[in-house]
Amino acid sequence: MNKLEFRNKVIPLTNREKYYKTHPSHTGDYVKNIDLLDKNYSFQLTKQDKLDLINGKHAIFYDNQKITDDVLNLPIFCTKQTRFSFIPIHIRNYIELKYVYSGHCYAMVNDKEIILHTGDILLLDINSKHTILPPSENDIIFNFQMNRSYFNEAFISKFTSSNPITTFLTNIIDHTAKHEDYVIFKNREDDYEDINNLIESILCEYLDPSLFLTTIIDSYFLLLFVKMTQRYQANMEEHFRNKNKSYITEIIQYIQHHYQSCSLIKTAQCFGYNPDYLSRMIHQSTGLSFKRLINYYRMEAISNQLINTNKPIYQIAQENGFSNLNYFYKQFSSKFGGLPADYRKQYQESKKKI
């Protein structure tokens, strides 16, 4: 299925949506089949649970849509919000992403009114109490549901400890989702096309699966999570700049680019912070002290130079701020578990085998 075919299928009203539009008193009929208010009801995203929803005609993208066993066995369940339908307040035990493909989405999450616009993404954590007000004809909302174990494996664990900025961002997103039960990723003009294309690509594959369905879906979602993290960072930086402040990611990036010469006092002066306050803020955000953060970026640069240049080790150490070679060897060994010469030799030998 190409993207034009996808749009031609999901944008027109389904027969069920047409019925709801002309019979507003029946917009909650699907609840008779699946009682979301039943305290004993537990939706686990199992194959049978998915079939129950499909049989209830709530999860159909278009009329006569077929769902294969391969799709039902995926760790992610994709649906389109049925337009003109009433969704009662309910609690589910899985993660859910809601993407506003067009129009708006009016939601209530834990008694808070939320209005989403085209391009916005809502991340709902488990146990969030929420409802969606009946979407109108132009309000197309896609849902992506997954167990928290898959969310942690596909997103959180992939970025933890990859570098201080991504670790901080993924941790703060996850913490916010758990604490507030939701996170909103507001649309941005500079990333709308990329994210919208990703959403369409995911659903084209979902509705017309290929041979490598699981790998493709996993890869698309990993990229979507990356884009969401970048969007979160950009939105937060813009929010702080509007208040004449710098968001922590901007400060970390400054340190990354000036690790050879910056000091805590100089960095604090640059961003208008008290040095002690900045030190605490960096440690709370990254789990690293200012000194350890500097060493992280020094070691990252040194490892790249050991691999990609023939410079003498003492020269690489000095260029990256280590005037004391004994201290440098100690720090390098602590980081990489060996001496710089052995690190370089090991890489060169592995490269010859390729």
Side-chain angles (χ1 to χ4, degrees), residues 113-175:
E113 182 177 345
I114 295 173
I115 302 176
L116 304 173
H117 306 280
T118 301
D120 289 351
I121 298 174
L122 173 64
L123 169 63
L124 291 165
D125 200 11
I126 59 175
N127 297 324
S128 60
K129 183 176 69 173
H130 65 280
T131 182
I132 303 298
L133 300 184
S136 65
E137 187 164 343
N138 189 48
D139 301 333
I140 300 178
I141 304 157
F142 296 133
N143 305 313
F144 305 93
Q145 301 160 345
M146 66 202 79
N147 291 322
R148 177 161 259 287
S149 58
Y150 177 81
F151 178 75
N152 289 341
E153 179 183 349
F155 178 42
I156 302 300
S157 64
K158 288 252 187 335
F159 295 97
T160 301
S161 300
S162 55
N163 70 58
I165 292 179
T166 55
T167 298
F168 164 68
L169 288 169
T170 50
N171 285 342
I172 198 68
I173 289 170
D174 194 37
H175 173 77

Side-chain angles (χ1 to χ4, degrees), residues 53-117:
L53 277 180
I54 293 168
N55 292 334
K57 299 195 175 182
H58 174 58
I60 288 184
F61 284 85
Y62 53 89
D63 290 324
N64 301 317
Q65 172 195 337
K66 295 181 180 179
I67 298 286
T68 66
D69 281 347
D70 287 341
V71 169
L72 289 172
N73 289 327
L74 284 172
I76 293 173
F77 187 45
C78 306
T79 67
K80 185 182 75 174
Q81 200 83 31
T82 303
R83 286 169 284 187
F84 305 105
S85 67
F86 167 71
I87 307 295
I89 294 176
H90 59 283
I91 298 174
R92 288 181 175 173
N93 54 5
Y94 52 79
I95 296 280
E96 184 169 19
L97 292 179
K98 290 185 176 291
Y99 176 73
V100 184
Y101 187 69
S102 70
H104 304 84
C105 175
Y106 299 91
M108 290 291 294
V109 182
N110 294 338
D111 300 322
K112 296 179 182 178
E113 182 177 345
I114 295 173
I115 302 176
L116 304 173
H117 306 280

Side-chain angles (χ1 to χ4, degrees), residues 286-334:
T286 66
L288 301 173
S289 65
F290 180 85
K291 185 176 181 179
R292 289 184 62 192
L293 186 61
I294 290 288
N295 276 346
Y296 172 89
Y297 287 120
R298 283 177 176 173
M299 289 300 169
E300 190 178 59
I302 287 169
S303 66
N304 287 331
Q305 290 180 31
L306 286 171
I307 290 172
N308 298 308
T309 75
N310 293 317
K311 291 180 181 179
I313 292 173
Y314 75 88
Q315 183 180 344
I316 292 175
Q318 290 175 348
E319 288 178 353
N320 287 282
F322 287 100
S323 57
N324 186 321
L325 283 181
N326 288 332
Y327 179 70
F328 162 68
Y329 281 120
K330 182 179 179 180
Q331 291 296 311
F332 189 93
S333 179
S334 176

Side-chain angles (χ1 to χ4, degrees), residues 170-185:
T170 50
N171 285 342
I172 198 68
I173 289 170
D174 194 37
H175 173 77
T176 303
K178 290 178 179 177
H179 181 69
E180 300 289 342
D181 290 327
Y182 70 92
V183 182
I184 298 175
F185 301 82

